[in-house]
């Protein structure tokens, strides 16, 4: 009797769906590469809504595992919150929706080798674990990076503010931290924990970036991320 075609396993199916999504996003990046200014964002959102390349990506036909965290299932892309960064390579900032209707922000890059970024993040995580074994918690946070090839990669988008921008708007970093971590009785109107988190994380990343030989660090590239009301980084 003729053999029936075996159905792919769930894991294999998930890998396939993610691969197809990566190929679609690569095609979108190529499509908008030669456009200028706001036309890139307009074209990106039009494609995500179904105009141009394939079917729309606002809602997936089947849930797709998160490209950076397979434990999270994605249901589609919010086109209105997605945009293109001002860069020659036109990286995409994509806002995915998950099954809990929460947003998952990812940067999609084509034309750049993200393997070095991924290795640096892994080394930072390793150093952090080694420090914690010695009861030294410097309150370090990292973001996810995944290089899918030598030219394509994904990076977790972390909402943050450059120190240079903060200083333009506020009198000091302490004033900015106090807005997000207020405590009238704390130092400078900040919670003690927030000041400790800031000082420790600055010290930790100063040592790590020195050891890794990371250069070109200045106030426009140094970012502060407020992940929780009592945890500024």
């Amino acid at each position: 009797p003729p053999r029936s075609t075996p159905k792919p396993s769930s894991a294999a199916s998930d890998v396939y769906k993610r691969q197809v999504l990566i190929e679609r996003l690569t095609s979108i990046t190529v499509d908008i590469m030669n456009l200028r200014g706001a036309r890139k964002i307009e074209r990106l959102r039009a494609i995500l809504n179904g105009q141009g390349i394939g079917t729309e990506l606002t809602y997936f036909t089947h849930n797709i595992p998160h490209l950076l965290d397979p434990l999270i299932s994605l249901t589609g892309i919010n086109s209105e919150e997605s945009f293109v960064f001002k860069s020659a390579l036109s990286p995409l900032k994509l806002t995915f929706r998950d099954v809990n209707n929460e947003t998952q922000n990812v940067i999609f890059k084509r034309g750049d080798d993200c393997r070095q970024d991924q290795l640096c993040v892994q080394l930072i995580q390793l150093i952090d674990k080694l420090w914690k074994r010695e009861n030294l918690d410097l309150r370090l946070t990292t973001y996810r990076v995944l290089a899918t090839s030598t030219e394509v990669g994904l990076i977790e988008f972390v909402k943050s503010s450059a120190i240079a921008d903060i200083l333009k708007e506020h009198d000091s970093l302490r004033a900015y931290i106090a807005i997000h971590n207020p405590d009238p009785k704390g130092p400078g109107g900040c919670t003690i924990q927030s000041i400790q988190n800031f000082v420790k994380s600055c010290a930790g990343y100063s040592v790590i970036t020195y050891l890794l030989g990371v250069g070109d660090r200045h106030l426009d590239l140094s970012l502060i991320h407020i992940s929780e009301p009592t945890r500024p980084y």
Side-chain angles (χ1 to χ4, degrees), residues 119-134:
L119 177 59
C120 285
V121 171
Q122 290 173 342
L123 287 173
I124 292 172
Q125 293 171 339
L126 174 60
I127 293 172
D128 187 37
K129 289 181 180 179
L130 294 175
W131 280 344
K132 287 179 178 177
R133 286 183 185 178
E134 303 300 323

Side-chain angles (χ1 to χ4, degrees), residues 12-205:
S13 176
D14 288 344
V15 171
Y16 175 75
K17 287 187 286 187
R18 282 191 285 180
Q19 182 60 38
V20 170
L21 177 59
I22 290 173
E23 292 175 356
R24 292 282 305 281
L25 296 177
T26 301
S27 299
I28 292 174
T29 305
V30 173
D31 185 273
I32 67 175
M33 181 67 69
N34 296 323
L35 300 178
R36 293 183 177 275
R39 292 185 61 192
K40 288 188 176 183
I41 300 178
E42 293 174 0
R43 179 61 176 160
L44 168 65
R45 293 174 177 173
I47 294 174
L48 294 178
N49 288 325
Q51 303 174 26
I53 303 176
T55 57
E56 55 93 16
L57 294 173
T58 306
Y59 295 98
F60 299 149
T61 305
H62 302 286
N63 292 349
I64 298 176
H66 197 302
L67 300 170
L68 296 173
D69 186 352
L71 297 179
I72 299 175
S73 294
L74 304 176
T75 60
I77 303 176
N78 187 332
S79 61
E80 294 304 315
E81 295 185 21
S82 301
F83 59 82
V84 183
F85 286 98
K86 295 180 180 179
S87 172
L89 297 177
S90 300
L92 311 178
K93 183 268 185 179
L94 302 169
T95 300
F96 291 90
R97 287 187 306 275
D98 61 22
V99 292
N100 296 318
N101 204 30
E102 297 179 352
T103 57
Q104 305 288 336
N105 295 306
V106 173
I107 299 173
F108 180 84
K109 300 182 72 175
R110 173 190 170 274
D112 196 7
D113 191 345
C114 292
R115 291 178 298 176
Q116 186 178 39
D117 302 69
Q118 186 172 346
L119 177 59
C120 285
V121 171
Q122 290 173 342
L123 287 173
I124 292 172
Q125 293 171 339
L126 174 60
I127 293 172
D128 187 37
K129 289 181 180 179
L130 294 175
W131 280 344
K132 287 179 178 177
R133 286 183 185 178
E134 303 300 323
N135 295 320
L136 181 61
D137 184 0
L138 294 183
R139 312 303 291 163
L140 304 182
T141 56
T142 58
Y143 52 85
R144 297 184 179 92
V145 182
L146 176 64
T148 60
S149 72
T150 57
E151 293 188 346
V152 176
L154 303 111
I155 302 174
E156 179 184 2
F157 178 82
V158 180
K159 187 176 181 180
S160 57
S161 298
I163 293 180
D165 295 333
I166 293 173
L167 294 178
K168 288 179 182 178
E169 185 176 354
H170 305 275
D171 295 333
S172 64
L173 286 176
R174 179 172 291 183
Y176 177 79
I177 294 175
I179 292 175
H180 296 277
N181 301 267
D183 183 358
K185 297 181 180 180
C190 309
T191 61
I192 295 177
Q193 186 64 55
S194 66
I195 295 297
Q196 289 179 343
N197 289 343
F198 175 75
V199 172
K200 288 181 178 180
S201 59
C202 280
Y205 274 112

Side-chain angles (χ1 to χ4, degrees), residues 109 116-117 120-121 124 143 160-164 201-224:
K109 300 182 72 175
Q116 186 178 39
D117 302 69
C120 285
V121 171
I124 292 172
Y143 52 85
S160 57
S161 298
I163 293 180
S201 59
C202 280
Y205 274 112
S206 295
V207 173
I208 290 175
T209 52
Y210 173 78
L211 293 175
L212 296 180
V214 178
D216 195 28
R217 298 295 91 188
H218 50 76
L219 295 183
D220 284 323
L221 292 180
S222 299
L223 307 178
I224 292 184

